Amino acid sequence: MRHIAIIGSGPAGFYTAEAAQKQWGEAVRIDIFDMLPVPYGLIRTGVAPDHQSIKAVYRRYETTSLSGNVRFIGNVMVGRDISVAELQELYDAVVLATGAPHDKKVGLPGEELGNVFGSAAFVGWYNGHPDFAALGPDLSGKNAVVIGNGNVALDVARILAKTREEFAGSDIVAHALDALEGAKTEQITILGRRGPHQIAMTPKELGELGHLTRACPRVDPADLPEEGEDALLEPGQRKSVNLIRGFAAIPESHREDKSIDLEFDFFAAPKAILGANVTGGRATGVEVERTRLEGGRAVGTGETYIVPADIVVICIGYQTSPIDGVPFEESAGRFANLDGRILPGLYCVGWARRGPSGTIGTNKPDGFSIIGRIAEDIGAGGRKVGGEGFDALAQTRGLKVVGFSDWKKIEEAENARAREGSPREKFVRIVEMIEAAGKG
Ligand code: NAP
């Protein structure tokens, strides 16, 4: 028998569990830990609430959870309730699938000003992550600035732009829906330090911006590269650039009935967030330097200007949370590893291994390859006590473990309190989740 502990119940964790089941069938026991009492990580609190078709992948993870040799161990934080070293004593392999839940710091002067948020916090707010549910962004100003040209920047811009009606069928949490409904946003500026050919936005997500009820995208045709140069792009990127070209061709008449201008400001590198002396610590603008490309890199031209900003959301990527005693690669924001191997018996997978890149599906081959390596390393296993040892320790420590059947009670309660048309109204406080699980 092999005993595997997976830390993190997002896509990387579940694909690893699935791979372990395929590899060993009944000859493996898998415990999937999560610090929250609810599973699915990024699927629940990262993927945009209006992208329910993407979120539906949780059903596949549920199938894995319901197999006899897999347990969900929620409400247990590794590093606080139990150490990695203790887990290593109990399990043949410990796999860190903790994702990249923290914002990469942009390092701009003024980043600490009021109403300036990293995307992890802002996305966590509208998705009901308990750590960010109380974020309370002030949406009463006209100008929003979103920094970054990736899919998260698109998510944030779209969520800021949508009307209440456009959230029908989504599971955006009530506090965010109400705040967004009362928002006074008129201008959303998406700052990209490079140009249209360098965007990290995928066509489906970009295309959605062209179909918003009250917002219309705007691109300065002068920012577009020569059309012939598109031939050098890979097909997906060419589609995205085509959409950007389409936005540049939208006639002014089309904007007349739109109340939000959604502007792509390319070749625009943020230099500082301004505001400290003006409004007692709140952001009022972003100082930007015009750039040009040199060998694909953004180089400042010395020309600066100010983009007004009442709220700033910085969407420049994420990093993994370090865990005591686990080697960490600061520069890349992930665990130090060689093909997923960190130390004997300790592995990482998904964003915790490679940094925040790729799609949810990228984690599937990642999970299968780490299980291949673990199989090479542990052979028939059999030296560790596994989950029974954890259960004993949890009891000694008085941990309130939330298992999968407990989560199903939380899920049922969330579904039951959903507003009409929405699949669920998430609990946003851990104590509410524990209560709904009947463990209060
Ligand atoms: P990302 O794709 O890495 O994009 C980060 C963006 O931030 C890039 O445009 C980058 O520009 C910019 N940036 C980085 N440092 C900067 C700085 N100092 N100043 C200005 N701009 C800076 O990251 P992400 O958007 O957070 O997405 C993370 C992952 O999740 C990606 O794989 C993404 O595709 C995925 N995701 C997918 C979906 C979906 O499929 N629906 C939704 C959300 C996220 P440079 O290119 O110039 O570095």
Side-chain angles (χ1 to χ4, degrees):
M1 183 61 68
R2 292 105 184 139
H3 296 283
I4 311 286
I6 297 173
I7 319 307
S9 68
F14 269 106
Y15 287 122
T16 303
E18 201 180 306
Q21 288 183 312
K22 290 243 161 71
Q23 175 78 28
W24 292 299
E26 276 308 306
V28 66
R29 294 285 174 273
I30 304 157
D31 282 351
I32 305 179
F33 291 79
D34 204 295
M35 59 189 274
L36 292 181
V38 292
Y40 308 136
L42 181 94
I43 301 301
R44 180 177 167 103
T45 59
V47 172
D50 56 345
H51 282 171
Q52 287 298 313
S53 59
I54 301 180
K55 282 185 189 270
V57 71
Y58 80 86
R59 295 207 184 95
R60 178 182 182 135
Y61 308 153
E62 182 168 273
T63 307
T64 304
S65 300
L66 292 171
S67 5
N69 57 353
V70 175
R71 299 194 305 174
F72 173 66
I73 300 187
N75 201 35
V76 174
M77 187 172 173
V78 174
R80 179 193 66 193
D81 300 322
I82 184 166
S83 69
V84 168
E86 285 171 322
L87 286 173
Q88 284 184 270
E89 284 292 311
L90 297 173
Y91 295 85
D92 293 298
V94 176
V95 186
L96 303 177
T98 47
H102 292 291
D103 288 305
K104 217 191 262 171
K105 285 283 166 227
V106 69
L108 289 177
E111 206 175 342
E112 69 298 337
L113 283 169
N115 235 23
V116 177
F117 305 106
S119 51
F122 195 76
V123 170
W125 170 71
Y126 62 64
N127 257 331
H129 191 296
D131 287 353
F132 306 111
L135 194 74
D138 181 348
L139 301 171
S140 64
K142 285 186 195 167
N143 298 301
V145 169
V146 178
I147 297 178
N149 265 185
N151 278 328
V152 172
L154 281 183
D155 279 349
V156 167
R158 186 182 71 254
I159 296 290
L160 283 170
K162 277 195 166 182
T163 59
R164 188 175 188 99
E165 292 68 35
E166 286 172 290
F167 284 112
S170 82
D171 67 351
I172 189 165
V173 289
H175 66 234
L177 185 60
D178 292 344
L180 287 161
E181 187 177 26
K184 299 283 184 283
T185 314
E186 292 179 10
Q187 174 76 33
I188 302 170
T189 306
I190 303 177
L191 294 179
R193 63 179 169 181
R194 299 192 289 161
H197 271 191
Q198 288 75 35
I199 54 174
M201 299 166 164
T202 41
K204 181 182 161 289
E205 286 63 31
L206 197 51
E208 287 175 73
L209 291 195
H211 305 284
L212 296 171
T213 307
R214 65 174 171 195
C216 185
R218 179 191 293 277
V219 169
D220 182 349
D223 286 340
L224 299 173
E226 291 292 325
E227 215 160 329
E229 292 174 23
D230 292 3
L232 301 170
L233 302 171
E234 57 89 18
Q237 188 72 347
R238 206 177 312 142
K239 269 193 199 160
S240 292
V241 171
N242 262 335
L243 286 158
I244 294 283
R245 290 191 185 282
F247 295 162
I250 294 173
E252 278 310 305
S253 57
H254 191 79
R255 300 176 197 284
E256 276 160 16
D257 59 339
K258 305 283 185 182
S259 59
I260 298 182
D261 191 47
L262 212 169
E263 183 178 4
F264 286 80
D265 194 356
F266 289 113
F267 305 105
K271 292 275 115 188
I273 299 171
L274 309 173
N277 300 326
V278 188
T279 50
R282 299 282 296 268
T284 56
V286 180
E287 186 190 339
V288 172
E289 182 175 12
R290 196 45 83 213
T291 64
R292 62 167 188 275
L293 286 181
E294 265 180 29
R297 294 190 56 231
V299 176
T301 61
E303 178 197 341
T304 60
Y305 57 99
I306 291 168
V307 180
D310 302 296
I311 179 168
V312 179
V313 187
I314 304 172
C315 310
I316 61 156
Y318 298 125
Q319 54 186 349
T320 297
S321 304
I323 300 179
D324 269 353
V326 181
F328 195 72
E329 196 182 326
E330 283 292 340
S331 57
R334 62 185 179 213
F335 296 114
N337 73 93
L338 200 60
D339 292 334
R341 290 184 173 106
I342 304 178
L343 292 169
L346 184 61
Y347 304 82
C348 57
V349 71
W351 280 5
R353 174 181 81 77
R354 60 177 201 275
S357 63
T359 62
I360 289 161
T362 316
N363 294 301
K364 193 174 170 202
D366 218 10
F368 275 77
S369 71
I370 202 65
I371 287 299
R373 291 193 183 94
I374 293 172
E376 279 169 25
D377 294 350
I378 68 173
R383 292 181 301 277
K384 302 288 173 93
V385 44
E388 276 176 29
F390 169 76
D391 294 345
L393 198 140
Q395 201 161 17
T396 320
R397 293 194 182 160
L399 301 182
K400 264 188 199 169
V401 173
V402 172
F404 200 74
S405 58
D406 303 320
W407 147 246
K408 291 301 284 179
K409 290 186 204 153
I410 303 176
E411 185 184 42
E412 204 178 304
E414 289 186 338
N415 295 352
R417 66 195 212 125
R419 63 185 167 272
E420 211 187 321
S422 171
R424 65 190 65 82
E425 183 61 54
K426 292 177 201 163
F427 294 112
V428 302
R429 291 166 59 228
I430 287 177
V431 27
E432 296 171 322
M433 297 172 183
I434 303 276
E435 258 169 39
K439 301 226 152 185

